[in-house]
Amino acid sequence: MLSKKTKYALHALTYLGKHRDEKTVLIQEIAEEHGISHKFLENILLELKKAGMLGSKKGKGGGYYLIKEPKDIPLSRVIRLLDGPIAMLPCVSLNYYEPCDECKNEAVCGINRVMIQVRDETLKILENKSLEDILKEE
């Protein structure tokens, strides 16, 4: 399941994507629209900014804005940034691999083999879906 942090990030990115014609959007505007704590949202937006998805402007007329095209923000990147691994088990994670304590031999572990398939299919979807796809659905 996606964490609240990731869900809020996706809501914020979608809101910013819908308001691309405006120069910037205030945190408070997004927070009120989606019922998110201002402070929590501020931390999320800072992470997205550090990851190169958002820009910000201070002072009068300030706020946040997308610095990438929505098609260039894959959902897999947002999820990994905020939630970490996409794989359901550490022994099948591409970026956060760890052997499972209870597994004697991954090469013959049926759970491992099936979870690799689940990971691969999930990644196929998340890497090929972007913020642009969310915007098209709304």
Side-chain angles (χ1 to χ4, degrees), residues 80 85-95 97 112-127:
R80 278 190 175 124
I86 290 170
M88 297 175 82
L89 294 173
C91 65
V92 300
S93 179
L94 295 173
N95 297 320
Y97 173 84
N112 177 278
R113 298 289 132 224
V114 170
M115 288 299 124
I116 286 174
Q117 293 171 22
V118 170
R119 176 207 66 203
D120 290 348
E121 292 303 313
T122 302
L123 276 175
K124 204 180 297 180
I125 294 167
L126 293 174
E127 288 177 346

Side-chain angles (χ1 to χ4, degrees), residues 16 23-27 55-65:
L16 290 166
K23 291 189 171 143
T24 60
V25 176
L26 294 171
I27 294 174
S56 66
K57 182 180 172 195
K58 294 185 180 199
K60 187 173 175 150
Y64 283 88
Y65 56 91

Side-chain angles (χ1 to χ4, degrees), residues 45-75:
L45 296 178
L46 284 172
E47 283 190 62
L48 295 171
K49 181 181 175 186
K50 286 179 191 170
M53 295 179 215
L54 301 181
S56 66
K57 182 180 172 195
K58 294 185 180 199
K60 187 173 175 150
Y64 283 88
Y65 56 91
L66 291 177
I67 58 173
K68 289 186 170 228
E69 291 295 319
K71 68 179 177 54
D72 296 326
I73 302 176
L75 299 184

Side-chain angles (χ1 to χ4, degrees), residues 20-39:
R20 286 192 65 137
D21 54 329
E22 299 169 27
K23 291 189 171 143
T24 60
V25 176
L26 294 171
I27 294 174
Q28 193 59 37
E29 187 178 329
I30 302 168
E32 287 174 7
E33 177 71 22
H34 293 285
I36 305 169
S37 151
H38 183 280
K39 190 70 181 160

Side-chain angles (χ1 to χ4, degrees), residues 74-106:
L75 299 184
S76 60
R77 182 147 185 255
V78 177
I79 293 168
R80 278 190 175 124
L81 174 70
L82 300 167
D83 279 348
I86 290 170
M88 297 175 82
L89 294 173
C91 65
V92 300
S93 179
L94 295 173
N95 297 320
Y96 302 91
Y97 173 84
E98 288 181 26
C100 291
D101 295 332
E102 59 279 347
C103 188
K104 292 178 176 76
N105 184 353
E106 283 179 21

